[in-house]
Structure formats: C-alpha cells, structure tokens
C-alpha cells in the first residue's frame, strides 16, 4: 500500500497560518503516523484556486494518475481538494471504483469505506459549494460597489467606459451606443435586433444591458 497526501493554497491564502501548506502537511504526516502507515508522498498545489477542478490542476492530475488500487490518499480538508459537490462526488466514485481510499481528516477518516461517511461527504460537499457561491457573490457586490463609485475593481471593463488611473471614465462613443441600445430595448426591440443594428451578438447586447441594470449609466 502506498500513501499519498494532497495540500493546496490559493494565492490569497498563502499568508494564512490556519491553512498554510506547512500546517496542512503536518496534519497529513501526523495522521499517517498514528495509523502506522509509511510517510506519504505529498502533492503540493501552491497558488491554485479552488475553483479549478482537481483533475485540471497540475498536481491534482498527477495525484490521480499516480494512485492505484490499494493506495490511500490523505487530505486535511474537503475544500483543499475539491472545486464543488460535483467534482468531489465524481472523484470519490472513481477512487472507490479503482479501490483507492480517500481520507479526509476533517471528516474523521476514509470517506470511501462506508455509507455513513459518504452521506457526510455528500452533505459537506454541498455546503462547501454553497459557501463558495456566497464568496463569489460577495466579490461581485464589492466590484459593483466600486464601479458605482467610478473605481475600476478589475476584470472586464464595462462597455461604455475606459480605465484611466484605475478610475472608470466614460467613453463618449460607447456611451452613445449604450444609450441607443437602452432606448431600443425600452421600445421593445429584441436583443438580436439591437445587436444587428450595432454589429454585436445578441448575447453580448444582453450582457451589456444586464450590467447597465445593475449600474445605471451616468447622466
């Protein structure tokens, strides 16, 4: 039996003592020692967002390719390893089918070994996914607030604006187009018709106008 470990931090978390790479490694080594297992080979995923599925992360992919029947994988926490409930449960089923054990220290042990563990795993996976959704929504709210103050908060620049010294500044030509699209939509024109009039795809028009609803254009 071979023993593997998996740890991860995103860029913003690297300075966090609670979830630092060294803290996670120590938990894995301590658990393996208590079980009388060999020292794990630990796969370290540094600076990778939890929004990326395990199999699409460099070290996550390497871990899955290295593991085989009879092996054990240890990770300190659910959210260190998986993107969401679908990612977690899909990987769990694959590991269980090939006979690889998956130990989650925060869940108390091997989540592939019995029905109760899988039930807990399923519930906590859903909770973790919901929490990430809440975090993303808070980030969107912050960006909307910054935009309302004329501050560029990163990401795609809103149609109708340019960025000058980290401030959103109206682009005159795009503002004219934006106001024309708003008027056309108010008159009942479809997104497709508006797009054809301005050389845009219907979905692009919808995205622009949806953003306008969240942040009205300055008069």
């Amino acid at each position: 039996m071979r023993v593997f470990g998996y740890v991860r931090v995103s860029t913003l978390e690297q300075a966090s003592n609670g979830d630092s790479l060294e803290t996670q490694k120590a938990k894995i080594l301590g658990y393996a020692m208590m079980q009388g297992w060999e020292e794990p080979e630990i796969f370290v995923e540094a600076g990778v967002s939890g929004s990326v599925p395990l199999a699409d992360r460099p070290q996550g992919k390497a871990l899955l390719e290295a593991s085989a029947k009879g092996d054990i994988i240890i990770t300190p926490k659910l959210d260190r390893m998986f993107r969401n409930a679908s990612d977690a449960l899909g990987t769990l089923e694959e590991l269980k089918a090939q006979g690889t054990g998956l130990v989650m220290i925060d869940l108390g042990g091997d989540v592939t070994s019995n029905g109760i563990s899988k039930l807990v795993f399923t519930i906590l996976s859903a909770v973790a996914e919901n929490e990430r959704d809440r975090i993303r929504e808070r980030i969107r709210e912050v960006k909307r607030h910054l935009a309302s103050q004329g501050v560029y908060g990163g990401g795609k620049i809103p149609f109708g604006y340019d960025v000058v010294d980290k401030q959103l500044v109206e682009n005159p030509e795009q503002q004219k187009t934006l106001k024309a699209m708003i008027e056309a939509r108010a008159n009942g024109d479809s997104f497709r018709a508006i797009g054809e009039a301005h050389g845009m795809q219907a979905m692009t028009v919808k995205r622009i106008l949806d953003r306008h609803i969240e942040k009205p254009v300055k008069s």
Side-chain angles (χ1 to χ4, degrees):
M1 180 186 78
R2 297 176 302 167
V3 183
F4 301 105
Y6 180 83
V7 299
R8 180 190 65 80
V9 291
S10 65
T11 302
L12 295 178
E13 294 169 327
Q14 289 180 4
S16 170
N17 292 329
D19 277 332
S20 69
L21 291 174
E22 293 306 316
T23 298
Q24 293 178 58
K25 289 179 184 178
K27 290 179 180 179
I28 290 174
L29 293 173
Y31 187 92
M33 184 179 297
M34 286 190 298
Q35 299 298 320
W37 296 339
E38 65 180 44
E39 182 174 331
E41 176 187 349
I42 299 180
F43 289 75
V44 179
E45 204 87 72
V48 176
S49 170
S51 64
V52 179
L54 179 66
D56 292 339
R57 304 171 194 167
Q59 293 301 303
K61 180 180 179 181
L63 171 65
L64 294 176
E65 292 176 346
S67 62
K69 183 176 181 179
D71 294 339
I72 295 289
I73 297 172
I74 309 172
T75 193
K77 294 178 66 177
L78 170 72
D79 63 1
R80 297 302 86 200
M81 195 165 195
F82 296 111
R83 173 177 181 256
N84 53 30
S86 176
D87 184 28
L89 296 178
T91 304
L92 175 63
E93 290 298 334
E94 290 180 8
L95 293 175
K96 189 172 182 179
Q98 76 176 20
T100 299
L102 177 58
V103 170
M104 297 215 163
I105 297 175
D106 61 333
L107 300 189
D110 189 348
V111 295
T112 63
S113 62
N114 58 65
I116 294 177
S117 291
K118 184 174 180 181
L119 175 61
V120 173
F121 186 94
T122 303
I123 293 172
L124 291 186
S125 293
V127 170
E129 181 176 17
N130 181 64
E131 178 60 22
R132 278 189 287 272
D133 287 341
R134 290 172 57 195
I135 291 172
R136 283 193 290 267
E137 180 55 33
R138 287 197 291 270
I139 291 173
R140 284 194 290 266
E141 288 175 357
V142 169
K143 287 187 175 182
R144 284 196 290 266
H145 175 70
L146 290 174
S148 71
Q149 304 300 311
V151 178
Y152 176 58
K156 189 174 181 63
I157 300 172
F159 183 83
Y161 296 86
D162 294 321
V163 175
V164 179
D165 295 329
K166 297 185 179 179
Q167 297 290 316
L168 289 172
V169 179
E170 289 187 354
N171 178 304
E173 290 302 316
Q174 289 186 1
Q175 284 291 325
K176 290 179 182 178
T177 301
L178 179 57
K179 290 178 180 179
M181 291 194 297
I182 293 169
E183 291 175 359
R185 186 62 179 167
N187 291 332
D189 290 1
S190 67
F191 292 126
R192 176 173 293 181
I194 297 171
E196 290 175 350
H198 296 283
M200 299 180 185
Q201 296 292 326
M203 289 304 297
T204 301
V205 173
K206 182 179 185 304
R207 175 180 56 77
I208 291 172
L209 295 183
D210 284 347
R211 182 185 289 271
H212 167 73
I213 292 172
E214 294 178 353
K215 177 185 178 301
V217 175
K218 298 176 184 178
S219 59

